[in-house]
Amino acid sequence: MSEWILTYEGFDPDQEGLREALCTLGNGYFASRGAAPESQDDDVHYPGTYLAGGYNRLTSESAGHTIENEDLVNLPNWLCLSFRVRGEAWFDASTAEILSYKQQLHLREGLLRREIRFRDRDGRQTLLRSRRLVHMALPHLAALRLELVPENWSGEFKIRTAIDGRVVNNGVARYRSLANRHLETLTIEAVGAESLLLKARTNQSHIEIAEAVRTRVFSDGEPLRLERDTAMEADYIAQDFCADVTEGQCVAIEKTLALYTSKDKAISEAALEATSDVQRAEDYPSLEASHLGAWEDLWQRIDLEFAMQDDSQGERMQMVLHLYTFHILQTVSPHSLYQDLGVPSRGWHGEAYRGHVLWDELFILPFLNLHLPVVTRSLLLYRYRRLRKAREAARAAGHRGAMYPWQSGSNGREESQKVHLNPQSGRWIPDHSRLQRHVNATIAFNVWQYYEATRDTDFLCYYGAEMIWEIARFWAGTATYNPQRDRYEILGVMGPDEFHDGYPDAREPGISNNAYTNLMVVWIMNQATKLFDLLPQDRSADLVAALGLTESERQRWRDIARKMLVVFHEDGIISQFEGYGRLEEFDWDGYRRKYGNIQRLDRILEAEDDTVNRYKASKQADVLMLFYLFSAEQLRELFGQLGYEFNRETIPKNISYYLQRTSHGSTLSWVVHSWVLSRSRRSGSWDLFTKALDSDVADIQGGTTPEGIHLGAMAGTVDLVQRGYTGLEAREGILFFNPRLPQRLQHLRFQMVYSHHPLAVDIAQDRFKVTVSPTCRTPLQIGFRQDVVEAAPGTTLDFEI
Amino acid sequence: MSEWILTYEGFDPDQEGLREALCTLGNGYFASRGAAPESQDDDVHYPGTYLAGGYNRLTSESAGHTIENEDLVNLPNWLCLSFRVRGEAWFDASTAEILSYKQQLHLREGLLRREIRFRDRDGRQTLLRSRRLVHMALPHLAALRLELVPENWSGEFKIRTAIDGRVVNNGVARYRSLANRHLETLTIEAVGAESLLLKARTNQSHIEIAEAVRTRVFSDGEPLRLERDTAMEADYIAQDFCADVTEGQCVAIEKTLALYTSKDKAISEAALEATSDVQRAEDYPSLEASHLGAWEDLWQRIDLEFAMQDDSQGERMQMVLHLYTFHILQTVSPHSLYQDLGVPSRGWHGEAYRGHVLWDELFILPFLNLHLPVVTRSLLLYRYRRLRKAREAARAAGHRGAMYPWQSGSNGREESQKVHLNPQSGRWIPDHSRLQRHVNATIAFNVWQYYEATRDTDFLCYYGAEMIWEIARFWAGTATYNPQRDRYEILGVMGPDEFHDGYPDAREPGISNNAYTNLMVVWIMNQATKLFDLLPQDRSADLVAALGLTESERQRWRDIARKMLVVFHEDGIISQFEGYGRLEEFDWDGYRRKYGNIQRLDRILEAEDDTVNRYKASKQADVLMLFYLFSAEQLRELFGQLGYEFNRETIPKNISYYLQRTSHGSTLSWVVHSWVLSRSRRSGSWDLFTKALDSDVADIQGGTTPEGIHLGAMAGTVDLVQRGYTGLEAREGILFFNPRLPQRLQHLRFQMVYSHHPLAVDIAQDRFKVTVSPTCRTPLQIGFRQDVVEAAPGTTLDFEI
């Protein structure tokens, strides 16, 4: 067990999908175009690799419904590297006798290593070692090195290297009836003595993808010049060659890939660049060295080190946190800069949600803000570029402003499904998830969080303010004034809790006055109003003119901020939505006894011809999201400005109420609830934290991790350590801390940036220290609980907790 | 005459090319993809429009030489809009009887307007009015409106609207023997009731270009529903329809274009987006209104207003300055942001140099720094993305660091021709212009200037420092130490003066110790060394490690900065290069008598079997570039650190020496010399300034403006007013002014930004005022000559000159 290595030993067919998802290699650039997901069983056959932003309309006529979906696109598979002993069949791990098997994902180095010892029918025993990387410094390159050692024989190996363009999307079982082939091959070619090229094009979006590979063979470190036979089939090109080996001697095969797409900048043409790059690439050891250097830099910026009472448990926890951080960096990294990339829900390799962008960035960007704020900026620009489509969507729905979609496709349009399959009942169910308009609050919230963490006024001026104002405008149009109540209401939406998409027996979908949505809107109105003072006057005037913002609109924003409705039921319990209090209590114990895992209660009840809409039962209790996103002080202000009471008891009371009525059907649920508890009940928080920590590694949802990682939950878990336990909050030019480590956690240390200044944070149970880098240009305002201190460059503040 | 309108009346075949170049419409996004250059003679047939970044290998076997060149690509022509009176031929301005003709480029509005009155064989008299724009707020749109009024007849018009993909590059006569067709059509299609679509692809770089047009007809403001006949030919799609008109009634045709390429972000597929955009576009009047709003914002940021003694001369000068500024904004604008665009020498529509990027940004970016620094940043990132290619080029030449090419093509590789044609002799001459390594100094200089103007340390940290250090490294490797002299030398290069590409009778091309190059290298070594202190320590350490910069390299940089050779001849005259002093004096008067215009002396002499390399004769005296780029104080320091004398006399003495030995064969020459004189001899400066001001409008080079504008000269001319006459200089956190208006200029006012803060500058002959915007967050350091004052936000500083 190491805190930096994820190890699997031996075959476990039940775990293959999970292992594959967790051991995916990529980098911000490459992952989004050509990550290299792992094989099911050996180094020989691999599933394809992926390109996001490709776009395909899939049609399934199942149950008479049409599903239109944008899709992730498989990239041509470059990993194909087969071998066989002369006279034998190509090595196949599923039929060979495996003597030992070990697979390790080295998180610090971004390397996948494998070691297999096997024996063939004639008793020939061979050791196979491989290492592989997707380069973190050279965004277009990936490389693998395979070593073969005949342990008790001499003879001839035959080796085949190939690029396979016949890849399909088959990662998600229930999508398999949909169109799954998204590439057409344009050219296949052998280039020079050592390289192969395959160029393909996505069939709808017409993105060209060029992959060039170079394969070299070494014996005892010396390059071998071998005759090669090139074979081409449709969408496939391979080269075969033979190497003589003697017992104990190591034959090493290095395969290097260069990948370019037609979307790349500073290129002439994708195939030319890929070919030139791969021919020029250094050998595997040099590539690995520069790759490690880049990872080292990244870890230095981003790692959270901690110490626990129990060292062995600490090591495992640290490993899982490293794994999650690693996956964040696989998906978004400095290589994402200036790419047109959003944050996909399930990583780039996960085929569930087909690469669509949902609201997961709510859990990811606040984490990135403190380490790689330029990456956040780049991801927010992805949204900014789709502001026009969001405006069109709002207009089409009869509103002004911008309405971002729940599932955002390539050009920013709504790609949420309209029906989905309940595997439990086999029925196609209407899907109203597009009513989750709260994704618009996510975007506004993230713009603001980025601003608070960086004080990047330029970003606000040219992008952020426009997004916030247009989103505020949309909500101002969606909110309706109810004169009886003298309150504004938001009707016909869904909150993050997907169990409630309507009232039982109502004809129209949607629920009214979702507390989470309504309060986020109040917060947005506040920030939208603050922006007028925050932007330089001339810029503010320009933007107001360009958007045609009127004084009466601003007046309405201020009015909504004072008169939005929040519904309560019982004593001080915030209703998840209006009418929640009148729903029936659910028989949790009875159903748990009957079904065991009831996380997907919605499916269970639908299969029973019932509906979860009838019950006080949440997949994820979205009232609690408020306690996740806002501090108690902020909530007191928000409720206060609306004239509602919010006292010391409100938070614990609501937590306890909703936790009893939650199935935790979403991986995000563990994170949110654990975070919320971390501020009140430390021990309860710790239990949920360890659940959240395990959610992907142990695949607690039962089968969905192999469809892709849960990136939001992973980032949220890491961020719980970083911001939840530290009470870290950037607000109005001050960086606040309010640390409170769980009892089991003895010590926590990390590097961060705030407003472009590097800081080091060091927290123990009873001490809190923060060091401002001597390279800062100005003193920083640091808040410890309520006290604010000015910290000069080069100084360390030291507080007793 | 208006200071905002460029008017041409009547036909002048000699002026058509010039008119076309100067009246080109575009915007930063659009121009680089589909600017709309003007027609030779009417609204009917237009030359194509252009796409940069396309890339074509052209082969000319002329004289047994092969020329390989990357090329600008013509875009499908969307402007095709023909009409005819029933029974007549299509209107053709070259055969019709033109009663009056007026063409106006409205600079403030970014509109081209035209009015033609003509009569056909049967005496039918018709008025034709058109207005056209390339939208400055909606980067993908362009629109035109054509109005036809039958003045003395009634009957039927037949109208044809089309997209023509059969475009070729034919703007430059001497390139016409090269391949000139760079597009293949992918689809042509009529879409819906009103629109046409043509999608094409560049034949080498495989960039897809989709153009969709919508054509609507109105009579007295009411839309007409007309039957349309669609006709398709190879690479061409048209629709014909008829409209009945009565005498005096106006028929208006509105044609709107949406253009997307496969390189665009936030798209699904280019043709889908173009079609959806054009169908959704507002009508012409609304588009014009939002277009004007965007131009108004731009002019507010960028305009230089001045008053002269002579109002009418002032008006013309102001018009020309507006024209030049307008052209800068046609080429680079806020729409260039996040595009992969560099600064092409001849604008996007000019075919000379085929869209390659040379060193013109030296004259353009310093101007943009003070108005649109984000655009500068974006243009510098274009260079940063090509750093890798520059490294490869250095390595291939046996050097470390980065060697940017003289003519940079799509992916950043060298695209300078190896031979060129002397039209005077008809001979193909070896072309050594790639030896102009000083382009590397341009890039380093511009990074630094951008930093000084914005204090954008982040840019330095992540991009700028790496470029400067890699360029310093290259020069450190190129410079050779001469122990006899105890000096470093740079051999075998060319300076900006292209008349001298070698020594007469030398076997190898290149000259030694070009003073401009050597001193720029000294300056680079200084800045490269300063950077170590300027960057935050951790970032500096990371970068040093990533680049593998050693202490001995840094030592060499410091050594070069003290021991670079500068050669002098006669008394205090800086030799343009080593050996210049020994060249023969040229018979200027004799040749002027013999040839008249001797700007291209090189061609004249080559045709006489002589060579300009033998003479003290410059196309552009590059020693004087030093006085252009650096203030006298800076030069005193630079020469001082090398141990050379630089006194009060050095500048005037060298100016006077070199001005007598210059042919002004480069349009940049007028700017540089006028700038240099502005600091010493005001009257001489004014004369050269008026020459520079006329260089494009009057096409003083005799025929090259029609091949494209001279963007560097245009920007330099405007910048001479902005920085030359004001002595404006951002240095080490202080914004210095040292204003000195020419006698004829009474008053000068402009808005600018410095370090993100807006300022207003107001200069008269005897007063200088600068107002710091109240929206500034911190006070600014303002220098007036040697005195530095702190200016609080909202205050005006007022000085007597």
Side-chain angles (χ1 to χ4, degrees), chain A residues 199 206 260 262-264 266 273 277 280 301 338 340 377 386 388 392 411 458 462-463 537 756 775 777, chain B residues 199 206 260 262-264 266 273 277 280 301 338 340 377 386 388 392 411 457-458 462-463 537 756 775:
Chain A
K199 184 175 170 185
H206 288 194
Y260 277 82
S262 55
K263 288 278 186 193
D264 282 317
E273 304 295 340
D277 261 33
R280 220 183 276 268
R301 284 168 176 269
Y338 300 99
D340 190 29
R377 190 178 202 273
R386 285 150 181 86
R388 205 179 55 131
E392 286 174 15
N411 62 0
D458 268 10
Y462 293 99
Y463 309 103
Q537 235 175 327
H756 299 291
T775 63
R777 275 173 295 160
Chain B
K199 186 174 170 185
H206 289 194
Y260 278 82
S262 56
K263 288 278 186 194
D264 282 318
E273 304 294 341
D277 261 32
R280 218 182 278 268
R301 284 168 177 269
Y338 299 99
D340 190 29
R377 190 178 202 273
R386 286 152 181 84
R388 205 181 54 132
E392 285 175 15
N411 61 0
T457 312
D458 268 10
Y462 292 99
Y463 309 103
Q537 233 175 330
H756 299 291
T775 62

Coordinates of all heavy atoms in Angstrom, one line a residue, chain A residues 199 206 260 262-264 266 273 277 280 301 338 340 377 386 388 392 411 458 462-463 537 756 775 777, chain B residues 199 206 260 262-264 266 273 277 280 301 338 340 377 386 388 392 411 457-458 462-463 537 756 775:
Chain A
K199 N -5.8 8.7 -40.5 CA -6.5 10.0 -40.3 C -8.0 9.7 -40.5 O -8.4 9.0 -41.5 CB -6.1 11.0 -41.3 CG -6.7 12.3 -41.2 CD -6.1 13.3 -42.1 CE -6.9 14.6 -42.1 NZ -6.4 15.6 -43.1
H206 N -17.5 16.7 -38.4 CA -16.4 16.8 -39.4 C -15.1 17.3 -38.8 O -14.4 18.1 -39.4 CB -16.8 17.8 -40.5 CG -17.8 17.2 -41.4 ND1 -18.2 17.7 -42.6 CD2 -18.6 16.0 -41.3 CE1 -19.1 17.0 -43.2 NE2 -19.4 16.0 -42.4
Y260 N -3.1 14.9 -33.5 CA -3.6 16.2 -33.8 C -5.0 16.2 -34.3 O -5.4 15.2 -34.9 CB -2.7 16.9 -34.8 CG -1.4 17.5 -34.3 CD1 -0.3 16.7 -34.0 CD2 -1.3 18.8 -34.0 CE1 0.8 17.2 -33.5 CE2 -0.2 19.4 -33.4 CZ 0.9 18.6 -33.2 OH 2.1 19.1 -32.7
S262 N -8.1 18.7 -36.4 CA -8.2 19.9 -37.2 C -8.6 21.1 -36.4 O -8.5 22.2 -36.9 CB -9.3 19.7 -38.3 OG -10.5 19.3 -37.7
K263 N -9.0 20.9 -35.1 CA -9.3 22.1 -34.3 C -8.0 22.7 -33.7 O -8.1 23.8 -33.1 CB -10.2 21.6 -33.1 CG -11.6 21.3 -33.5 CD -12.5 22.5 -33.6 CE -13.9 22.2 -33.9 NZ -14.7 23.4 -34.3
D264 N -6.9 22.0 -33.8 CA -5.7 22.5 -33.2 C -5.2 23.8 -33.8 O -5.4 24.1 -35.0 CB -4.6 21.5 -33.2 CG -4.8 20.4 -32.2 OD1 -5.1 20.8 -31.0 OD2 -4.6 19.2 -32.5
A266 N -2.0 26.7 -34.6 CA -0.6 26.6 -34.9 C -0.3 25.4 -35.7 O 0.8 24.9 -35.6 CB 0.3 26.8 -33.7
E273 N 1.3 17.4 -39.1 CA 1.9 17.7 -37.8 C 2.1 16.4 -37.0 O 3.1 16.3 -36.3 CB 0.9 18.6 -37.0 CG 0.6 19.9 -37.7 CD 1.7 20.9 -37.9 OE1 2.8 20.7 -37.2 OE2 1.6 21.8 -38.8
D277 N 5.7 15.3 -35.7 CA 5.9 15.1 -34.3 C 6.4 13.8 -33.9 O 7.3 13.6 -33.1 CB 4.6 15.4 -33.5 CG 4.5 16.8 -33.0 OD1 5.0 17.7 -33.6 OD2 3.9 17.0 -31.9
R280 N 9.9 13.0 -34.8 CA 10.9 13.8 -34.1 C 10.9 13.4 -32.6 O 11.8 13.9 -31.9 CB 10.4 15.2 -34.2 CG 11.4 16.3 -34.5 CD 10.6 17.6 -34.5 NE 10.0 17.9 -35.8 CZ 10.7 18.6 -36.7 NH1 11.9 19.1 -36.5 NH2 10.1 18.8 -37.9
R301 N 1.8 22.2 -6.8 CA 0.7 23.2 -6.7 C -0.5 22.7 -6.0 O -1.3 23.5 -5.5 CB 0.3 23.6 -8.1 CG 1.2 24.5 -8.8 CD 0.7 24.5 -10.2 NE 1.5 25.5 -11.0 CZ 1.3 26.8 -11.1 NH1 0.2 27.3 -10.6 NH2 2.1 27.5 -11.8
Y338 N -7.0 27.5 -23.5 CA -7.2 27.9 -24.9 C -7.8 26.8 -25.7 O -7.9 26.9 -26.9 CB -5.9 28.5 -25.5 CG -5.5 29.7 -24.8 CD1 -4.4 29.6 -23.8 CD2 -6.1 30.9 -25.0 CE1 -4.0 30.7 -23.1 CE2 -5.7 32.0 -24.3 CZ -4.6 31.9 -23.3 OH -4.2 33.0 -22.6
D340 N -11.4 24.7 -26.3 CA -12.8 25.0 -26.1 C -13.4 23.8 -25.3 O -14.2 23.1 -25.8 CB -13.5 25.1 -27.4 CG -14.9 25.7 -27.3 OD1 -15.1 26.4 -26.4 OD2 -15.7 25.4 -28.2
R377 N -10.6 29.8 -15.4 CA -11.0 30.9 -16.3 C -11.3 30.3 -17.7 O -12.2 30.7 -18.4 CB -9.8 31.9 -16.4 CG -10.0 33.2 -17.1 CD -8.7 34.0 -17.1 NE -9.0 35.4 -17.3 CZ -9.1 36.0 -18.5 NH1 -8.9 35.3 -19.6 NH2 -9.4 37.3 -18.6
R386 N -20.8 30.1 -25.1 CA -22.1 29.5 -25.4 C -23.2 30.4 -24.9 O -24.4 30.0 -24.9 CB -22.2 28.1 -24.8 CG -21.4 27.1 -25.7 CD -20.8 26.0 -25.0 NE -20.0 25.2 -26.0 CZ -18.8 25.4 -26.3 NH1 -18.1 26.4 -25.8 NH2 -18.2 24.6 -27.2
R388 N -24.4 32.9 -26.3 CA -25.3 33.3 -27.4 C -26.4 32.2 -27.6 O -27.6 32.5 -27.7 CB -24.5 33.3 -28.7 CG -25.2 34.2 -29.8 CD -24.3 34.2 -31.0 NE -24.0 32.8 -31.4 CZ -24.2 32.4 -32.7 NH1 -24.5 33.2 -33.6 NH2 -23.9 31.1 -33.0
E392 N -30.5 32.4 -27.1 CA -31.5 31.9 -28.1 C -32.5 31.0 -27.4 O -33.6 31.0 -27.6 CB -30.8 31.1 -29.2 CG -30.0 32.0 -30.2 CD -29.2 31.2 -31.2 OE1 -29.5 29.9 -31.3 OE2 -28.4 31.8 -31.9
N411 N -22.3 22.8 -29.2 CA -22.4 24.3 -29.5 C -23.2 25.0 -28.4 O -23.6 26.1 -28.6 CB -23.0 24.5 -30.9 CG -24.4 24.0 -31.0 OD1 -24.9 23.4 -30.1 ND2 -25.0 24.1 -32.2
D458 N -10.7 42.1 -14.8 CA -10.8 42.0 -16.2 C -11.8 40.9 -16.7 O -12.6 41.1 -17.6 CB -9.4 41.7 -16.8 CG -8.7 43.0 -17.2 OD1 -9.2 44.0 -16.8 OD2 -7.7 42.9 -17.8
Y462 N -15.2 41.7 -19.0 CA -15.4 41.3 -20.3 C -16.2 40.1 -20.5 O -16.7 39.8 -21.6 CB -14.0 41.2 -21.1 CG -13.5 42.6 -21.2 CD1 -12.5 43.1 -20.3 CD2 -14.0 43.5 -22.1 CE1 -12.1 44.4 -20.4 CE2 -13.6 44.8 -22.2 CZ -12.6 45.3 -21.3 OH -12.2 46.6 -21.4
Y463 N -16.3 39.3 -19.5 CA -17.1 38.0 -19.6 C -18.0 37.8 -18.5 O -19.2 37.6 -18.7 CB -16.1 36.8 -19.7 CG -15.0 37.0 -20.8 CD1 -13.7 37.4 -20.4 CD2 -15.3 36.9 -22.1 CE1 -12.8 37.6 -21.4 CE2 -14.4 37.1 -23.1 CZ -13.1 37.4 -22.7 OH -12.1 37.7 -23.6
Q537 N -16.6 52.3 -14.0 CA -17.8 52.9 -14.5 C -18.0 52.9 -16.0 O -19.1 52.7 -16.4 CB -17.7 54.4 -14.0 CG -18.9 54.8 -13.2 CD -18.7 56.2 -12.7 OE1 -17.6 56.7 -12.4 NE2 -19.8 57.0 -12.6
H756 N -3.6 35.7 -7.1 CA -2.3 35.5 -7.8 C -1.1 35.4 -6.8 O 0.0 35.3 -7.3 CB -2.0 36.7 -8.7 CG -3.1 36.8 -9.8 ND1 -3.2 35.9 -10.8 CD2 -4.0 37.7 -10.0 CE1 -4.2 36.3 -11.6 NE2 -4.7 37.3 -11.2
T775 N 7.4 36.4 -2.5 CA 7.3 37.0 -3.9 C 6.0 37.8 -4.1 O 5.7 38.3 -5.2 CB 7.3 35.9 -5.0 OG1 6.2 35.0 -4.8 CG2 8.6 35.1 -4.9
R777 N 3.4 40.8 -4.1 CA 3.8 42.2 -4.3 C 3.1 43.1 -3.3 O 3.5 44.2 -3.1 CB 3.4 42.6 -5.8 CG 4.6 42.2 -6.7 CD 4.2 42.5 -8.1 NE 3.2 41.5 -8.5 CZ 2.4 41.8 -9.6 NH1 2.5 42.8 -10.3 NH2 1.5 40.9 -9.9
Chain B
K199 N -20.5 25.1 -49.0 CA -19.4 24.7 -48.1 C -18.2 24.2 -48.9 O -18.4 23.4 -49.8 CB -19.9 23.6 -47.2 CG -19.0 23.2 -46.1 CD -19.6 22.2 -45.1 CE -18.5 21.6 -44.2 NZ -19.1 20.6 -43.4
H206 N -7.2 21.7 -45.3 CA -8.4 21.0 -44.9 C -9.3 21.8 -43.9 O -9.9 21.2 -43.0 CB -8.2 19.6 -44.4 CG -7.7 18.7 -45.5 ND1 -7.7 17.3 -45.3 CD2 -7.3 18.9 -46.7 CE1 -7.2 16.7 -46.4 NE2 -7.0 17.7 -47.3
Y260 N -18.9 30.5 -41.1 CA -18.2 29.8 -40.1 C -17.1 28.9 -40.7 O -17.2 28.5 -41.9 CB -19.2 28.8 -39.4 CG -20.0 29.5 -38.3 CD1 -21.1 30.3 -38.6 CD2 -19.6 29.4 -37.0 CE1 -21.9 30.9 -37.7 CE2 -20.4 30.1 -36.0 CZ -21.5 30.8 -36.3 OH -22.2 31.4 -35.4
S262 N -14.4 25.4 -39.8 CA -14.2 24.3 -38.9 C -13.3 24.6 -37.8 O -13.2 23.9 -36.8 CB -13.7 23.1 -39.7 OG -12.5 23.4 -40.4
K263 N -12.6 25.7 -37.8 CA -11.7 26.1 -36.7 C -12.5 26.8 -35.6 O -12.0 27.1 -34.5 CB -10.6 27.1 -37.2 CG -9.6 26.4 -38.1 CD -8.5 25.7 -37.2 CE -7.4 25.2 -38.1 NZ -6.5 24.3 -37.3
D264 N -13.7 27.2 -35.9 CA -14.5 28.0 -34.9 C -14.8 27.1 -33.6 O -15.0 25.9 -33.7 CB -15.8 28.5 -35.5 CG -15.5 29.7 -36.3 OD1 -14.7 30.6 -35.9 OD2 -16.1 29.8 -37.4
A266 N -17.2 26.5 -30.1 CA -18.6 26.5 -29.7 C -19.5 26.2 -30.9 O -20.6 26.8 -31.0 CB -18.9 27.8 -29.0
E273 N -24.2 25.8 -38.3 CA -24.1 27.1 -37.6 C -24.4 28.2 -38.6 O -25.1 29.2 -38.3 CB -22.8 27.3 -36.9 CG -22.4 26.2 -36.0 CD -23.2 26.0 -34.7 OE1 -24.0 27.0 -34.4 OE2 -23.2 24.9 -34.1
D277 N -27.5 30.7 -38.2 CA -27.3 32.1 -38.0 C -27.9 33.0 -39.1 O -28.5 34.0 -38.7 CB -25.8 32.4 -38.1 CG -25.2 32.5 -36.7 OD1 -25.7 31.8 -35.8 OD2 -24.2 33.2 -36.5
R280 N -31.7 33.3 -38.8 CA -32.1 34.0 -37.6 C -31.7 35.5 -37.6 O -32.1 36.2 -36.7 CB -31.3 33.3 -36.4 CG -32.0 33.1 -35.1 CD -30.9 32.5 -34.2 NE -30.8 31.1 -34.4 CZ -31.5 30.2 -33.7 NH1 -32.4 30.6 -32.8 NH2 -31.4 28.9 -33.9
R301 N -12.3 54.4 -27.9 CA -11.1 54.0 -27.2 C -9.8 54.4 -28.0 O -8.7 54.4 -27.4 CB -11.0 52.4 -27.2 CG -11.9 51.8 -26.2 CD -11.9 50.3 -26.6 NE -12.7 49.6 -25.6 CZ -12.1 49.0 -24.6 NH1 -10.8 49.0 -24.3 NH2 -12.9 48.4 -23.7
Y338 N -8.7 35.1 -28.9 CA -8.9 33.7 -28.9 C -8.9 33.1 -30.2 O -9.2 31.9 -30.4 CB -10.1 33.3 -28.1 CG -10.0 33.8 -26.6 CD1 -10.6 34.9 -26.2 CD2 -9.2 33.1 -25.7 CE1 -10.4 35.3 -24.9 CE2 -9.0 33.5 -24.5 CZ -9.7 34.6 -24.0 OH -9.5 35.1 -22.7
D340 N -6.4 32.2 -33.6 CA -5.0 31.9 -33.7 C -4.5 32.8 -34.8 O -4.1 32.4 -35.9 CB -4.8 30.5 -34.1 CG -3.4 30.0 -34.0 OD1 -2.6 30.6 -33.2 OD2 -3.0 29.1 -34.7
R377 N -2.1 41.0 -26.5 CA -1.8 39.7 -25.8 C -2.1 38.6 -26.7 O -1.4 37.6 -26.8 CB -2.7 39.7 -24.5 CG -2.4 38.6 -23.6 CD -3.3 38.8 -22.3 NE -2.7 38.1 -21.2 CZ -2.9 36.8 -20.9 NH1 -3.6 36.1 -21.7 NH2 -2.4 36.3 -19.8
R386 N 3.8 29.2 -31.5 CA 4.8 28.8 -32.5 C 6.2 28.7 -32.0 O 7.2 28.6 -32.7 CB 4.7 29.7 -33.7 CG 3.4 29.4 -34.5 CD 2.8 30.5 -35.3 NE 1.6 30.0 -35.9 CZ 0.4 30.0 -35.4 NH1 0.3 30.4 -34.1 NH2 -0.7 29.6 -36.0
R388 N 7.5 26.4 -30.3 CA 8.0 25.0 -30.5 C 8.6 24.9 -31.9 O 9.7 24.3 -32.0 CB 6.8 24.0 -30.4 CG 7.3 22.6 -30.1 CD 6.1 21.7 -30.0 NE 5.3 21.8 -31.3 CZ 4.9 20.8 -31.9 NH1 5.1 19.6 -31.5 NH2 4.3 20.9 -33.0
E392 N 12.5 24.2 -32.9 CA 13.0 23.2 -33.9 C 13.9 23.8 -35.0 O 14.9 23.2 -35.4 CB 11.7 22.6 -34.6 CG 11.0 21.6 -33.8 CD 9.7 21.1 -34.5 OE1 9.5 21.3 -35.7 OE2 8.8 20.5 -33.7
N411 N 1.9 27.1 -39.5 CA 2.3 26.4 -38.2 C 3.6 27.0 -37.6 O 4.2 26.4 -36.7 CB 2.5 24.9 -38.4 CG 3.5 24.6 -39.5 OD1 4.2 25.5 -40.0 ND2 3.7 23.3 -39.7
T457 N 2.0 40.8 -15.3 CA 3.1 39.8 -14.8 C 2.7 38.4 -15.2 O 3.6 37.6 -15.5 CB 3.3 39.9 -13.3 OG1 3.4 41.3 -13.0 CG2 4.6 39.2 -12.9
D458 N 1.4 38.1 -15.1 CA 1.0 36.7 -15.5 C 1.4 36.4 -16.9 O 1.8 35.2 -17.1 CB -0.5 36.6 -15.4 CG -1.0 36.2 -14.1 OD1 -0.1 36.1 -13.1 OD2 -2.2 35.9 -13.9
Y462 N 3.9 33.2 -17.7 CA 3.5 31.9 -18.4 C 3.9 31.9 -19.9 O 3.9 30.8 -20.5 CB 2.0 31.6 -18.1 CG 1.8 31.3 -16.7 CD1 1.4 32.2 -15.8 CD2 2.3 30.0 -16.2 CE1 1.3 31.9 -14.4 CE2 2.2 29.7 -14.9 CZ 1.7 30.6 -14.0 OH 1.6 30.3 -12.7
Y463 N 4.2 33.0 -20.5 CA 4.5 33.1 -21.9 C 5.7 33.9 -22.2 O 6.6 33.5 -22.9 CB 3.2 33.6 -22.7 CG 2.0 32.8 -22.3 CD1 1.0 33.4 -21.5 CD2 1.7 31.5 -22.8 CE1 -0.2 32.8 -21.2 CE2 0.6 30.9 -22.5 CZ -0.4 31.5 -21.7 OH -1.5 30.8 -21.3
Q537 N 9.6 34.3 -7.5 CA 10.7 33.4 -7.4 C 10.4 32.0 -7.8 O 11.1 31.3 -8.5 CB 11.2 33.4 -5.9 CG 12.7 33.7 -5.8 CD 13.0 33.8 -4.3 OE1 12.2 34.2 -3.5 NE2 14.3 33.4 -4.0
H756 N -4.0 48.9 -17.2 CA -5.5 48.7 -17.0 C -6.2 49.9 -16.6 O -7.4 49.8 -16.4 CB -5.7 47.5 -16.0 CG -5.2 46.2 -16.5 ND1 -5.7 45.5 -17.5 CD2 -4.2 45.5 -16.0 CE1 -5.0 44.4 -17.7 NE2 -4.1 44.4 -16.8
T775 N -12.2 55.8 -12.0 CA -12.4 54.4 -11.8 C -11.1 53.6 -11.5 O -11.1 52.4 -11.3 CB -13.1 53.7 -13.0 OG1 -12.3 53.8 -14.1 CG2 -14.5 54.4 -13.2

